[in-house]
Amino acid sequence: MSKRVLLTGGTGYIGSHTAVELFAAGHDVVIADDLSNSSVTVLDRISEISGRRPDFVKLDLRDLNGLKQVFRRFDIDAAIHFAARKSVGESVEQPLLYYDVNVNSLLNLLVAMAEFKVDTLVFSSSCTVYGQPDVLPVSESTPFQPASSPYGNTKQICEHILRDYSLTGVGLKAISLRYFNPVGAHESALIGELPLGVPNNLVPFITQTAAGLRERLQVFGDDYDTADGTAIRDYIHVVDLARAHVSALQRSLHHPNAANYEYFNVGTGSGTSVMEVIKAFEAAAGVPLPYKIVGRRAGDIEQIYADTSTANAELDWRAEKTLADMLSSAWQWQQHIAAQDGPVG
Ligand code: UFG
């Protein structure tokens, strides 16, 4: 049955791909985003792909009255809460900003949802809540390690808020999706990741280097206890990740017996090293990638990848796209941005 879904942070990287998948599943989409890390032109791109345009309100979720106006204006059935700051390094420099934006936005959303009797929520969490787990692959029952950054701490705090709140019997059905490493772009190359300034993350740095915008990739450490010495992550195609949100929504709406608060790993289940990503990129894009090995990056963990069996079974979802799909779509998107918008800062 068609639902009207509020996407906070819906013009961002994962939100925009989720808007496309929600439209494809027959739902309506309302986006609230302050455009602090995204462009309003993303709405045009979503429309071009979907043939439908999301409703849009420019809003900082710390503005509770503004948020209530959104609920008053649109007949919202469910919310997916993407809006958050997400840079580990920036969170170390500006912890108060991260606690303010990430925690208060969730609190305001919960207040507004309660007032307008909206009881279905999907929350963007992160595998960062696990830290460096002792046993791999990491399952949902793996305990949290102390957070290694204010950003990671906000994800733990938000999950704890959802757990505590759901225990009050308020009627909220909430699902946290613990994202592993989302990469890639929509096959149309109309939407993708658009980092501001120098990218922190591996794949945008690779595609910008291949496009000639960066001199070379720095590989952070080749002395880890892994087969080739470089760190291992579970990279997941952003379109697979977007579809996991549609599945989580279906579960919240249609499984009355599911627990009020649930959390799932959203990854592929496979670990890939930095060197393997570089080789796979060169093969997928057909261009060489200049790189050099440098020291480890502070705060990086050695390896993490997901046990996805619970998510696969309970959400009736599984990641389908390959590493080659991820990297070739990221490369298509990079070339598209270069053609459309010129180099980034
Ligand atoms: N890497 C490089 N060179 C770069 C960038 C990254 O070698 O220029 C390496 C990193 O050291 C790491 C791997 O590539 O081994 C992946 O790094 P990313 O920055 O792409 O991703 P992370 O796993 O470090 O971080 C991601 C999210 C964070 C989140 C974290 C854990 O970006 O927001 O996963 O959930 F906190």
Side-chain angles (χ1 to χ4, degrees):
M1 200 165 63
S2 170
K3 298 288 178 186
R4 178 166 290 119
V5 187
L6 172 65
L7 305 193
T8 73
T11 45
Y13 174 43
I14 302 169
S16 57
H17 288 83
T18 302
V20 166
E21 296 306 320
L22 285 167
F23 276 141
H27 299 295
D28 295 327
V29 176
V30 178
I31 290 178
D33 197 305
D34 68 356
L35 302 176
S36 59
N37 193 24
S38 59
S39 164
V40 74
T41 58
V42 168
L43 298 170
D44 302 330
R45 308 283 170 88
I46 294 170
S47 314
E48 203 174 328
I49 297 167
S50 303
R52 297 181 59 195
R53 191 178 180 85
D55 288 301
F56 176 72
V57 178
K58 184 170 186 290
L59 180 73
D60 181 330
L61 266 81
R62 289 171 294 178
D63 172 2
L64 179 58
N65 285 328
L67 183 56
K68 287 184 180 176
Q69 290 290 351
V70 173
F71 280 86
R72 208 164 279 129
R73 182 170 152 204
F74 300 99
D75 191 14
I76 304 288
D77 297 305
I80 306 182
H81 183 42
F82 298 102
R85 297 228 158 214
K86 62 169 186 176
S87 162
V88 173
E90 186 184 53
S91 79
V92 174
E93 285 158 20
Q94 299 186 67
L96 298 188
L97 177 70
Y98 272 67
Y99 288 112
D100 183 22
V101 172
N102 292 8
V103 179
N104 285 325
S105 295
L106 175 64
L107 292 175
N108 281 349
L109 182 60
L110 292 173
V111 168
M113 288 176 69
E115 184 171 324
F116 291 88
K117 304 204 174 353
V118 177
D119 56 12
T120 303
L121 175 66
V122 178
F123 172 67
S124 295
S125 189
S126 165
C127 68
T128 194
V129 297
Y130 297 119
Q132 173 65 70
D134 298 327
V135 179
L136 290 168
V138 65
S139 80
E140 286 84 352
S141 56
T142 302
F144 290 2
Q145 305 275 2
S148 62
S149 70
Y151 160 74
N153 203 18
T154 66
K155 292 298 173 189
Q156 293 191 351
I157 291 168
C158 287
E159 285 212 27
H160 287 146
I161 290 169
L162 291 174
R163 179 199 62 196
D164 293 347
Y165 187 50
S166 71
L167 290 174
T168 63
V170 72
L172 181 76
K173 286 272 187 187
I175 293 181
S176 289
L177 297 182
R178 294 176 180 164
Y179 308 160
F180 281 65
N181 286 56
V183 298
H186 191 264
E187 62 181 5
S188 64
L190 289 169
I191 52 174
E193 189 170 11
L194 203 52
L196 286 178
V198 181
N200 291 313
N201 295 115
L202 179 64
V203 171
F205 205 105
I206 286 178
T207 59
Q208 289 194 9
T209 304
L213 297 170
R214 313 278 163 212
E215 194 183 341
R216 66 170 71 88
L217 172 73
Q218 298 189 347
V219 174
F220 297 135
D222 70 346
D223 56 352
Y224 287 108
D225 187 15
T226 61
D228 64 22
T230 62
I232 288 177
R233 298 287 184 273
D234 184 340
Y235 297 92
I236 175 167
H237 197 298
V238 66
V239 171
D240 279 331
L241 175 58
R243 289 176 182 157
H245 294 79
V246 181
S247 299
L249 198 67
Q250 296 299 113
R251 179 174 176 86
S252 298
L253 292 167
H254 304 301
H255 283 71
N257 296 329
N260 289 341
Y261 177 54
E262 299 182 299
Y263 36 89
F264 298 106
N265 286 344
V266 186
T268 64
S270 295
T272 306
S273 74
V274 176
M275 279 312 301
E276 287 170 336
V277 173
I278 292 171
K279 295 299 162 212
F281 176 80
E282 289 181 326
V287 294
L289 188 80
Y291 69 88
K292 77 169 177 203
I293 310 284
V294 299
R296 295 182 181 191
R297 182 170 67 178
D300 268 354
I301 59 168
E302 180 174 279
Q303 49 181 319
I304 186 164
Y305 48 96
D307 176 342
T308 60
S309 51
T310 304
N312 297 155
E314 302 297 328
L315 296 179
D316 191 20
W317 163 91
R318 99 177 22 251
E320 287 168 357
K321 294 180 183 290
T322 64
L323 186 63
D325 295 333
M326 300 176 210
L327 297 171
S328 58
S329 64
W331 180 229
Q332 294 295 323
W333 163 242
Q334 177 65 51
Q335 291 170 300
H336 181 90
I337 315 169
Q340 290 279 316
D341 305 328
V344 286

